[in-house]
Amino acid sequence: MEIRLSDKFCIITPLSPKLNFGECKRLFNEIKANSDLRVGLDLTFVQDCTIEFIEELYKLNKIGIFNIQSNIFALFNIMKVDKCVNLFVSEQDFITDKNRLVNRNFYICNT
């Protein structure tokens, strides 16, 4: 796990391709330890995640996630993770707090 700290941000990059229970426990302990900063989670190297990771995300609400693989992003949309954490395309979007990824559930109603 790589951790970069600045005055306002803590960016954590898990180096494991799968976020299993042990990795999630270490990751969320580190997020809680840096809760006074704006925490960003860089998922560049993550190819797969377990349900424990997604369940823990629902407990947090001040983090941003970026560089998400397409299969994980699809899972986040299905499980409505974008409603509890901020999803971004890149680290720059996270830092500037712009271009947030939001799943809009539009539909056409025939009346």
Side-chain angles (χ1 to χ4, degrees):
M1 182 179 332
E2 178 182 316
I3 302 168
R4 291 181 286 145
L5 296 171
S6 70
D7 293 340
K8 300 177 187 175
F9 303 104
C10 172
I11 297 178
I12 302 172
T13 307
L15 301 176
S16 172
K18 183 173 184 176
L19 291 176
N20 57 20
F21 180 73
E23 288 289 323
C24 290
K25 190 173 181 179
R26 286 183 46 217
L27 178 66
F28 288 106
N29 284 338
E30 195 62 45
I31 290 171
K32 289 174 187 171
N34 291 298
S35 62
D36 55 331
L37 301 172
R38 195 161 159 238
V39 178
L41 191 55
D42 182 359
L43 297 183
T44 301
F45 302 111
V46 178
Q47 301 291 323
D48 192 17
C49 61
T50 60
I51 192 68
E52 290 89 5
F53 174 70
I54 295 173
E55 287 174 347
E56 286 295 320
L57 285 177
Y58 284 111
K59 297 176 185 175
L60 303 173
N61 52 359
K62 290 187 353 178
I63 70 167
I65 302 175
F66 52 92
N67 293 332
I68 308 165
Q69 301 293 326
S70 60
N71 58 345
I72 296 174
F73 181 66
L75 184 63
F76 283 178
N77 282 334
I78 291 169
M79 298 189 74
K80 299 181 179 169
V81 172
D82 64 324
K83 306 301 184 222
C84 63
V85 298
N86 295 324
L87 303 178
F88 298 96
V89 173
S90 66
E91 182 176 344
Q92 187 63 34
D93 289 342
F94 166 72
I95 290 172
T96 59
D97 200 20
K98 297 190 184 217
N99 303 322
R100 188 172 162 223
L101 296 172
V102 179
N103 183 18
R104 307 271 189 215
N105 294 324
F106 293 113
Y107 65 94
I108 298 175
C109 178
N110 292 333
T111 57

